[in-house]
């Protein structure tokens, strides 16, 4: 009977989650956006056509982001591409994201059910207005999980293809926490097998989680949060009082020292990449408390006009008092942590929710030099705010002696689902998506630039340049938007004003050297032989300015010399182009494209011996390279042989 009840419960929940997933369907065939392009569409390694080990391995390790390169996520994209046949249709990729999201909902229900069961067993103050029966706990767990599944803050994690990294990482974290709770409760019952289940959760789920995205490194911190709230009255913690003073001092000192070492290591890892940001580490740390309260407001009171792919219009906190909301946000966060720690026995659900939320943000909302705000960072963290919200519903219902207050949960689910549906509709079309982005966040330079790019894609050049100009005005240190304006004007057969050209030179000399600006230069280098030939001379000047910058490291300089080689070649400056290609490879011998293009340049010049020398150097550099270019090497070798054949035939005659 028990098994039958469990099966029925699972089927009902699966049905509910599937229905909940329908709210995302309007956007399931929508456009690729933002990081989808460099990480997937422009990544030839992911676009596999066979399932051999070599192709799969190269696809798995084709991402430069993250210290471990997120191979599991990248492998999932490669398999998606293989079965879809191409990236032409985004539906298979977004549908996979949606299925992962629904699976995470099922797993989160299992985890919530275990959490509520433990709360009911260990703390009678945990839930005051509902019974601790299995049926009640099932309904409560399902209600909260449905809220989480349909919440509009999850849209970017589902419909933004590359954010599968976030949902896959979360999947393994949830599995790891389920293993922990199952194992921990077995240990309480005196069953030693519990320790093996816990270890499997930590290692067997933690490792693939980290290999999906580094956020899964927070799994031990999530476990410590659950341990603190749910198991602090059990061994080994209840034995703390019996320890000697010296033992306590050693343990505390060791823990503080470990945290200090981890913090110093994280700062050293993060600091170099702040050169690409328009804020410092201190400014980011000061800004994030305001951002966290912004997230909390979006979770509790979702407003469709406040959501978006980009939130780059949030003002940076330059001190505790500028803007003035910085200091109350910092104090507010400290107050929430203090209340959670002090009141965790009386308010366990609130404490668990707040600590869960903050744990979920420890990597992406602290010192790592990421962009200030992104909604997908709340994918798992948002569950904590829903738990804390449940605490207040429970207390209010108890105080009023009226269980009808729980009607708030289905009402919230209805509102959340409606907003999510309308957001998904906005995601259905590339132009409408960015029109809404600009409408909701008119001071977002990224939104304006995104709209401009889509309009230009549909040959609406004047409107596109207007949007890019607005983006340029909003971000006066960023040269990328001006460069994209030059490219759009060239494609339309026009030229920007002298003032625009002067401002471009000024920003190239003095502005920030960002990933966006580097990508813009690469985009122009792809079209200077086709739709933007008129920019060949300008491109040479721009690249020479960048190469003279003191903050252009070897990696950037190698890329700039490669682009300079292309640009010089497009102008017929052969010797200078050869020198630029050679310099590019000298600066970064793992970068193979300069050698490939140099080999073909020698072939065009019928300098076969030089082409063969370039091929040998390319073959040597390709061996053991993290990003090998076997197909290019093979093709170049074949083309060299074709050039040699006529000569061999002639000499034999």
């Amino acid at each position: 009977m028990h098994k039958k009840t469990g099966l029925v419960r699972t089927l009902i929940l699966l049905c509910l989650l599937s229905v909940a997933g329908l709210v995302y369907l309007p956007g399931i065939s929508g456009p690729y956006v933002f990081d989808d392009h460099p990480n997937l569409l422009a990544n030839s390694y992911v676009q596999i056509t066979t399932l051999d080990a070599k192709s799969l391995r190269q696809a798995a390790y084709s991402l430069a982001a993250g210290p471990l390169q997120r191979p599991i996520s990248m492998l999932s994209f490669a398999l998606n591409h293989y079965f879809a046949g191409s990236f032409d249709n985004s539906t298979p990729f977004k549908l996979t994201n949606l299925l992962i999201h629904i699976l995470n909902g099922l797993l989160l229900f299992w985890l919530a059910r275990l959490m509520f069961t433990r709360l009911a067993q260990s703390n009678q103050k945990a839930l005051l207005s509902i019974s601790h029966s299995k049926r009640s706990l099932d309904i409560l767990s399902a209600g909260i999980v449905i809220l989480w599944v349909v919440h509009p803050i999850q849209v970017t994690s589902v419909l933004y293809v590359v954010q599968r990294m976030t949902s896959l990482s979360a999947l393994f974290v949830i599995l790891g926490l389920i293993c922990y709770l199952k194992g921990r409760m077995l240990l309480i019952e005196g069953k030693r097998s519990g320790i093996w289940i816990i270890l499997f959760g930590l290692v067997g789920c933690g490792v693939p989680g980290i290999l999906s995205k580094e956020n899964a490194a927070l799994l031990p911190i999530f476990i410590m949060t659950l341990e603190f709230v749910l198991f602090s009255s059990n061994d080994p913690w209840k034995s703390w009082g019996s320890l000697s003073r010296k033992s306590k001092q050693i343990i505390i000192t060791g823990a503080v020292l470990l945290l200090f070492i981890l913090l110093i290591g994280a700062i050293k890892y993060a600091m170099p990449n702040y050169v690409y940001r328009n804020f410092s580490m201190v400014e980011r740390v000061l800004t994030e408390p305001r951002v966290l309260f912004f997230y909390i407001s979006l979770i509790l009171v979702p407003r469709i006009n406040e959501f978006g792919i980009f939130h780059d219009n949030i003002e940076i906190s330059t001190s505790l008092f500028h803007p003035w909301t910085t200091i109350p946000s910092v104090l507010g966060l400290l107050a929430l942590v203090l209340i959670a720690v002090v009141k965790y026995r009386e308010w366990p659900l609130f404490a668990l929710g707040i600590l869960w939320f903050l744990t979920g943000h420890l990597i992406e909302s602290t010192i790592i030099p990421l962009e200030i705000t992104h909604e997908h960072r709340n994918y798992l963290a948002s569950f904590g705010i829903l738990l804390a919200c449940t605490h207040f519903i429970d207390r209010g219902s108890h105080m009023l002696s009226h269980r009808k207050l729980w009607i708030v949960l289905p009402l919230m689910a209805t509102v959340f689902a409606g907003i999510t549906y309308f957001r998904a509709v906005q995601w259905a079309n590339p132009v409408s998506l960015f029109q809404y982005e600009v409408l909701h966040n008119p001071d977002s330079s990224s939104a304006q630039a995104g709209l401009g790019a889509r309009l230009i894609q549909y040959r609406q050049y004047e409107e596109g340049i207007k949007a890019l100009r607005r983006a340029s005005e909003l971000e006066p240190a960023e040269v990328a938007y001006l460069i994209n304006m030059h490219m759009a004007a060239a494609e339309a057969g026009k030229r920007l004003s002298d003032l625009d050209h002067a401002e471009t030179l000024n920003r190239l000399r003095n502005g920030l050297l960002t990933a966006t600006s580097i990508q813009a230069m690469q985009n122009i280098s792809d079209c200077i032989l086709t739709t933007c030939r008129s920019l060949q001379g300008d491109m040479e000047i721009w690249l020479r300015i960048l190469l003279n910058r003191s903050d252009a490291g070897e990696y950037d300089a190698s890329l700039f010399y490669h682009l300079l080689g292309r640009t010089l070649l497009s102008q017929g400056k052969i010797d200078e182009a050869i020198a630029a290609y050679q310099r590019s490879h000298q600066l970064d011998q793992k970068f193979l494209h300069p050698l490939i293009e140099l080999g073909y340049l020698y072939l065009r010049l019928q300098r076969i011996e030089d082409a063969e020398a370039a091929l040998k150097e390319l073959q040597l550099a390709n061996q053991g390279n993290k990003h090998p270019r076997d197909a290019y090497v093979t093709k170049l070798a074949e083309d060299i042989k074709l050039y040699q054949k006529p000569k061999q035939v002639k000499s034999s005659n």
Side-chain angles (χ1 to χ4, degrees), residues 588-607:
D588 184 0
Q589 296 191 6
K590 296 178 181 178
F591 187 28
L592 303 181
H593 285 81
L595 286 178
I596 296 168
E597 294 181 24
L598 186 58
Y600 278 104
L601 173 55
Y602 284 137
L603 280 182
R604 283 175 53 192
L605 299 172
Q606 296 187 2
R607 291 166 55 175

Side-chain angles (χ1 to χ4, degrees), residues 59-107:
Y61 290 97
S62 62
L63 184 71
L68 300 176
Q69 299 178 272
R70 307 176 187 176
I72 290 180
S73 292
M74 298 309 294
L75 187 59
S76 77
F77 292 127
L79 292 172
N80 240 161
H81 179 275
Y82 174 79
F83 290 108
S86 70
F87 280 124
D88 294 344
N89 184 359
S90 65
T91 300
F93 302 90
K94 299 195 178 197
L95 187 58
T96 302
N97 283 16
L98 179 56
L99 293 174
I100 292 171
H101 183 55
I102 292 172
L103 176 58
N104 281 343
L106 284 169
L107 293 173

Side-chain angles (χ1 to χ4, degrees), residues 269-433:
Y269 171 78
M271 189 62 77
N273 290 315
Y274 272 95
V275 69
Y276 299 107
R277 297 298 180 190
N278 61 353
F279 48 82
S280 67
M281 182 181 289
V282 172
E283 288 172 335
R284 189 178 200 278
V285 170
L286 288 174
T287 306
E288 286 304 322
R290 292 171 40 234
V291 173
L292 290 176
F293 276 106
F294 171 64
Y295 290 152
I296 291 172
S297 73
L298 282 182
I299 296 167
L300 292 177
V301 188
R303 292 92 65 200
I304 195 166
N305 63 309
E306 294 289 342
F307 288 105
I309 306 171
F310 313 105
H311 293 281
D312 52 340
N313 55 334
I314 290 179
E315 186 178 2
I316 301 296
S317 293
T318 55
S319 72
L320 280 171
F321 305 99
H322 186 271
W324 70 267
T325 50
T326 304
I327 187 68
S329 297
V330 171
L331 294 176
L333 272 187
L334 292 174
L336 285 176
V337 173
L338 184 62
I339 293 170
V341 171
V342 171
K343 302 284 287 184
Y344 79 97
R345 291 190 186 278
E346 295 177 62
W347 298 352
L349 205 52
F350 175 82
L352 182 59
I354 295 300
L355 295 177
W356 178 288
F357 174 75
L358 295 177
T359 295
H361 282 286
L362 279 176
I363 289 179
E364 294 180 305
S365 299
T366 51
I367 63 172
I368 305 298
L370 304 170
E371 294 184 3
I372 293 294
T373 314
H374 274 300
E375 292 168 18
H376 66 260
R377 294 173 189 167
N378 293 276
Y379 185 71
L380 201 51
S382 58
F383 185 68
I385 298 302
L386 297 176
L387 287 175
C389 182
T390 304
H391 161 82
F392 288 107
I393 296 173
D394 176 55
R395 298 288 151 159
S397 184
H398 177 70
M399 289 174 61
L400 296 173
S401 299
H402 210 312
R403 290 188 181 181
K404 287 185 179 179
L405 191 59
W406 285 102
I407 195 68
V408 169
L409 284 182
L411 289 176
M412 288 172 66
T414 303
V415 173
F416 291 177
I419 296 172
T420 299
Y421 179 83
F422 284 115
R423 283 202 74 193
V425 169
Q426 294 174 2
W427 275 71
N429 177 275
V431 175
S432 69
L433 170 60

Side-chain angles (χ1 to χ4, degrees), residues 86-136:
S86 70
F87 280 124
D88 294 344
N89 184 359
S90 65
T91 300
F93 302 90
K94 299 195 178 197
L95 187 58
T96 302
N97 283 16
L98 179 56
L99 293 174
I100 292 171
H101 183 55
I102 292 172
L103 176 58
N104 281 343
L106 284 169
L107 293 173
L108 201 57
F109 168 77
W110 189 3
L111 178 63
R113 186 65 177 77
L114 290 171
M115 288 164 50
F116 285 128
T117 299
R118 175 59 191 169
L119 278 172
Q121 291 172 352
S122 62
N123 193 333
Q124 294 301 312
K125 296 179 180 179
L127 294 167
L128 299 177
S129 66
I130 65 172
S131 71
H132 291 177
S133 68
K134 290 182 179 180
R135 181 173 175 272
S136 297

Side-chain angles (χ1 to χ4, degrees), residues 54 64 121 182 214 218 251 256 267 293 361 382 480 550 556:
K54 186 176 182 180
Q121 291 172 352
K182 296 287 285 186
E214 293 74 17
L218 294 172
I251 293 172
V256 171
I267 290 173
F293 276 106
H361 282 286
S382 58
S550 59
D556 294 329

Side-chain angles (χ1 to χ4, degrees), residues 248-260:
K248 290 179 181 178
Q249 287 176 342
I250 291 172
I251 293 172
I252 292 172
T253 302
V256 171
L257 184 61
L258 177 61
L259 288 174
F260 180 75

